[in-house]
Amino acid sequence: MSRSEQSLERLYGSGATPDEQRRAFTDGQVPVAVYGLGKMGLPLAAVYASVSGNVTGVDISESVVGTINDGRSPVENEPGLEAEIERNVSSGALSATTDVEEAAAGASIHVLIVPTLLDDQDVPDLSTLTALIRDIGMHLDPGDIVVVESTVPPGTCAETLWPILRRTVPDPESVGLAFCPERTMSGRALQDIRGAYPKIVGGIDDESTRVAKLVYGEITTNDVHAAPDARTAECVKVFEGIYRDTNIALANELAMVAPELGVDVPEAIELANTQPFCDIHRPGIGVGGHCIPVYPYFLLDSIETSAPIVRMARQINDSMPLYAIEQLREAMDGSDHPLFGANVAVLGVTYRPDVDEIRYSPAFSVVRDLNQLGANVYLVDPVCSDLSPFEGTPVAVERLHRLDLDAAVLVTDHSAFDRIRWDRMDPMVVVDGRQALTLSGSGHTVRTIGDGRGVE
């Protein structure tokens, strides 16, 4: 059936009833394009395909597109995704392409989930998103709607993206634009998208909000909350990240005063959290990933107010790798073995346990500082597929006991580290950055971040 014959293939401004529009969407009459097929985008495209049966995924990588069209998933360690891709591709519900213009011309719902990070000056870099908006804008037809899931600074849809669309779309008043914050975590993406948390939608006008709410009401089994506008919806995701960053900073500040208190701060936090109005996170060696270290700057770039709590939280969390190195150096000085020339194993360089992602990992600071202090660094990470960004010698977990180590720093508590035979190693200094090691009675000198017992 041609596009002109499908009377309900577009939802924005449609005079059909909500039930008719929902049926059109779930029956595959409304073609969808999902732009960006990475760790978050590909699961989103798969869920859209399962619900609507008519999705084109778009990515700049020919290898990613080829893998998907072969019915396989280029994203690893995502439970259920491979089977979902195979089923949707074989049924014709999902295909992939590198041709942005062709996908844009054929779709009515355009879902954007491309990277939005920071430049070298900690300024939000929206260049990929704005370039994509320009590319698809000239191919939008009346009744199309653009839904942005990429996390952006508050005001981006109304003040940056909509002006671009107004300049490129032949009839801009006939298309919609909405924001729906992505609330997905690697390793559980399908579960999160389908209903682990409520969805939030907010459009630049009431009709954009209505259509986004209708569509996501079919995507998720959870509630869909309509924000007053796109800016409010944008704030939701940014605020979530800032809350976590600030909460972790509080926990880290408490951890740094643990030696003065002479207590195990994580234990005290756990007990404090038994009170329902208290929910302090756990301290650690640092904060990584493409979310928590990034989104505070999305707010700071959008406002003139200094926001000292937000800024201080970033400074505290960024300081934790150096704090861990200072703990190591103090302990080694106490053992009459200087850090200069010492053999030091860095355990875990990814930012999350058992997830192959190094973006903004605190391991970058740990490895850099150790090298600058003259240590011989060994990199131990069974999950990371590419250790080349780090300056050090890769070592397998199974061979760790064969090294003549003077120290070890746990940055990321991968499950594989439970197999380390600490009893087969000569006494060394160990800094546990995640309260994850059980080395009591092992003969090693252990400094655990947040445990101030016996530390002066």
Side-chain angles (χ1 to χ4, degrees):
M1 185 180 295
S2 68
R3 294 188 68 182
S4 61
E5 296 173 320
Q6 295 179 353
S7 59
L8 286 183
E9 73 174 88
R10 296 181 181 88
L11 304 180
Y12 184 89
S14 170
T17 67
D19 284 344
E20 289 172 335
Q21 293 180 53
R22 279 188 283 267
R23 281 196 297 270
F25 174 61
T26 57
D27 287 348
Q29 295 181 45
V30 184
V32 179
V34 177
Y35 304 84
L37 301 177
K39 293 183 177 181
M40 301 292 105
L42 183 56
L44 182 64
V47 173
Y48 259 97
S50 296
V51 173
S52 75
N54 189 358
V55 172
T56 300
V58 186
D59 199 273
I60 61 173
S61 170
E62 293 184 359
S63 63
V64 166
V65 166
T67 300
I68 294 169
N69 287 332
D70 287 340
R72 296 178 292 113
S73 172
V75 175
E76 298 180 350
N77 301 315
E78 196 59 70
L81 184 58
E82 182 91 29
E84 198 80 4
I85 298 298
E86 181 181 10
R87 181 175 64 82
N88 283 317
V89 169
S90 62
S91 70
L94 175 66
S95 63
T97 181
T98 59
D99 194 328
V100 173
E101 295 184 359
E102 180 182 5
S108 300
I109 298 176
H110 308 262
V111 184
L112 281 54
I113 184 165
V114 295
T116 50
L117 300 173
L118 301 172
D119 64 15
D120 293 339
Q121 304 300 316
D122 290 332
V123 175
D125 181 2
L126 304 180
S127 58
T128 300
L129 181 60
T130 54
L132 179 58
I133 283 285
R134 291 189 186 94
D135 289 342
I136 70 175
M138 64 186 68
H139 301 286
L140 297 183
D141 294 318
D144 281 9
I145 184 169
V146 176
V147 180
V148 178
E149 284 218 11
S150 306
T151 306
V152 295
T156 296
C157 282
E159 298 171 8
T160 301
L161 304 184
W162 183 238
I164 294 174
L165 289 179
R166 289 187 64 87
R167 292 193 298 269
T168 55
V169 177
D171 184 9
E173 301 303 328
S174 67
V175 301
L177 173 63
F179 184 79
C180 177
E182 165 263 311
R183 293 176 136 183
T184 312
M185 182 177 293
S186 295
R188 47 172 293 160
L190 294 178
Q191 173 187 350
D192 288 348
I193 294 167
R194 284 179 170 140
Y197 317 105
K199 298 297 291 185
I200 311 297
V201 296
I204 59 163
D205 55 30
D206 291 343
E207 179 65 0
S208 296
T209 302
R210 183 197 69 79
V211 173
K213 185 175 182 181
L214 183 145
V215 168
Y216 279 91
E218 301 303 312
I219 295 297
T220 180
T221 59
N222 211 312
D223 296 332
V224 181
H225 298 293
D229 47 41
R231 182 188 295 270
T232 304
E234 292 163 344
C235 283
V236 168
K237 182 59 183 286
V238 173
F239 287 2
E240 290 173 2
I242 290 173
Y243 165 76
R244 295 175 65 192
D245 196 41
T246 306
N247 195 318
I248 293 169
L250 170 61
N252 283 335
E253 188 163 76
L254 295 175
M256 286 189 282
V257 302
E260 295 181 57
L261 297 173
V263 302
D264 185 336
V265 164
E267 284 188 359
I269 288 174
E270 185 175 350
L271 293 171
N273 287 347
T274 60
Q275 212 279 357
F277 301 110
C278 187
D279 185 23
I280 306 173
H281 292 357
R282 294 182 66 83
I285 201 167
V287 177
H290 60 278
C291 298
I292 299 179
V294 175
Y295 298 159
Y297 294 107
F298 282 11
L299 174 70
L300 296 172
D301 189 67
S302 305
I303 60 176
E304 295 182 3
T305 303
S306 61
I309 292 177
V310 177
R311 293 184 187 276
M312 182 59 69
R314 277 284 71 238
Q315 294 172 11
I316 291 172
N317 290 335
D318 281 346
S319 74
M320 292 308 292
L322 180 59
Y323 174 77
I325 298 301
E326 289 301 318
Q327 294 293 300
L328 175 64
R329 186 154 65 172
E330 286 179 12
M332 295 193 73
D333 288 345
S335 65
D336 297 325
H337 195 306
L339 186 54
F340 184 86
N343 296 327
V344 182
V346 174
L347 306 179
V349 300
T350 66
Y351 87 93
R352 270 184 58 204
D354 301 324
V355 174
D356 185 8
E357 174 62 71
I358 63 173
R359 189 172 294 166
Y360 297 104
S361 171
F364 282 106
S365 296
V366 171
V367 172
R368 181 198 63 222
D369 292 346
L370 286 173
N371 278 296
Q372 289 178 349
L373 291 169
N376 303 312
V377 178
Y378 294 89
L379 308 170
V380 188
D381 195 307
V383 175
C384 184
S385 58
D386 182 12
L387 292 171
S388 62
F390 301 91
E391 183 181 353
T393 303
V395 177
V397 176
E398 294 75 17
R399 299 183 62 85
L400 191 59
H401 67 278
R402 299 187 180 185
L403 299 177
D404 183 21
L405 291 177
D406 301 298
V409 181
L410 178 71
V411 177
T412 311
D413 49 329
H414 295 310
S415 56
F417 293 152
D418 293 340
R419 304 195 304 267
I420 294 177
R421 294 296 305 273
W422 296 99
D423 59 329
R424 299 178 64 181
M425 302 184 206
D426 292 334
M428 71 177 84
V429 174
V430 180
V431 173
D432 182 356
R434 300 296 177 186
Q435 308 97 42
L437 302 176
T438 304
L439 300 180
S440 178
S442 64
H444 302 296
T445 300
V446 182
R447 288 283 185 96
T448 299
I449 289 183
D451 188 352
R453 296 171 298 184
V455 179
E456 297 180 358

